[in-house]
Amino acid sequence: METRTFQDKLKSLISQRNVLALCVVALSIAVIKLSIAVQSKEERVVVIPTTGPSFWVEKSRTSKEYLNLIGTFLSDLLLTRTPADIAWKNDQILGHAHPSFYGPLKQALIEEKEKMIQTQSTFLFEAARSYAYDQKLQFVIEGVQKTYIEKTGKSAPLIQTEKIKYILSFRCEEGRLYLNSISQEKK
């Protein structure tokens, strides 16, 4: 009788061990799969500002809202300029330039600054529409570029206007958008 009770208890312990071993194997497989998923997943940082839409940034991608925000900020610095604020705006723009684009952009901004100071001209851009291509990391802004050139004397300043479309291309590295190129098309 005692042998039968002992065998029943032994069978019960073996079945419990098998169930626990199965649970341990299943949990180990789950941990391994989760570890692989976590390592291959990019971290997404969501920013909810006090004003404006929320946006997200990953290591090599960004949301359309963030692209719009940075594109609008940089296009305002690039397209509306006076001789008094051009140095400060150039520094701000260069702070957002990609290292591969920094040299040519700096040279172009210096030439524009010298020309503006020499002619005492002011640029005013009136945007008609703007939009972002998040797949290409481009921001497009279309509108009318007005150039006011100060004339000597009491006459009104000379105004030149033209419809222009600007395309700002960006590169996303380590969660930061860098200005990579600027192109313009006359309409």
Side-chain angles (χ1 to χ4, degrees):
M1 182 86 162
E2 287 185 24
T3 315
R4 191 159 179 85
T5 308
F6 178 70
Q7 287 177 346
D8 289 340
K9 287 185 179 182
L10 189 59
K11 285 181 183 178
S12 173
L13 285 173
I14 289 173
S15 66
Q16 287 177 3
R17 180 202 64 191
N18 290 343
V19 168
L20 287 174
L22 183 64
C23 288
V24 167
V25 168
L27 288 173
S28 298
I29 291 171
V31 166
I32 290 170
K33 283 186 173 183
L34 285 173
S35 297
I36 292 170
V38 166
Q39 287 180 346
S40 65
K41 180 72 177 156
E42 285 191 20
E43 182 178 324
R44 179 176 281 188
V45 177
V46 178
V47 179
I48 303 172
T50 55
T51 60
S54 60
F55 54 88
W56 56 266
V57 178
E58 290 180 355
K59 192 172 188 176
S60 61
R61 297 184 325 144
T62 183
S63 68
K64 195 172 193 174
E65 292 80 13
Y66 185 56
L67 190 58
N68 264 325
L69 187 71
I70 294 295
T72 303
F73 173 70
L74 288 177
S75 63
D76 183 52
L77 292 175
L78 281 164
L79 306 175
T80 302
R81 305 160 74 79
T82 66
D85 68 2
I86 194 167
W88 180 83
K89 286 186 175 185
N90 286 353
D91 289 340
Q92 294 298 310
I93 294 164
L94 290 172
H96 290 277
H98 189 268
S100 64
F101 184 54
Y102 186 88
L105 179 62
K106 184 176 182 180
Q107 184 62 36
L109 291 175
I110 288 171
E111 289 171 7
E112 183 182 57
K113 177 183 174 183
E114 290 171 356
K115 185 177 176 183
M116 280 184 73
I117 291 173
Q118 184 181 27
T119 60
Q120 285 299 305
S121 58
T122 299
F123 297 140
L124 176 64
F125 188 79
E126 294 177 354
R129 72 180 196 144
S130 63
Y131 48 94
Y133 292 122
D134 55 338
Q135 298 300 324
K136 295 180 180 181
L137 290 177
Q138 290 182 334
F139 179 77
V140 179
I141 186 164
E142 299 174 4
V144 177
Q145 180 75 51
K146 294 182 178 180
T147 305
Y148 295 90
I149 300 173
E150 187 177 314
K151 293 170 59 178
T152 56
K154 295 188 178 198
S155 60
L158 177 64
I159 301 174
Q160 298 173 348
T161 62
E162 58 184 337
K163 289 185 179 181
I164 297 182
K165 173 181 174 182
Y166 289 96
I167 301 170
L168 281 67
S169 298
F170 294 92
R171 183 183 294 180
C172 189
E173 292 180 359
E174 300 298 322
R176 181 172 176 199
L177 275 179
Y178 290 99
L179 184 61
N180 199 35
S181 70
I182 302 167
S183 59
Q184 72 180 21
E185 299 172 7
K186 295 185 180 185
K187 293 195 144 207

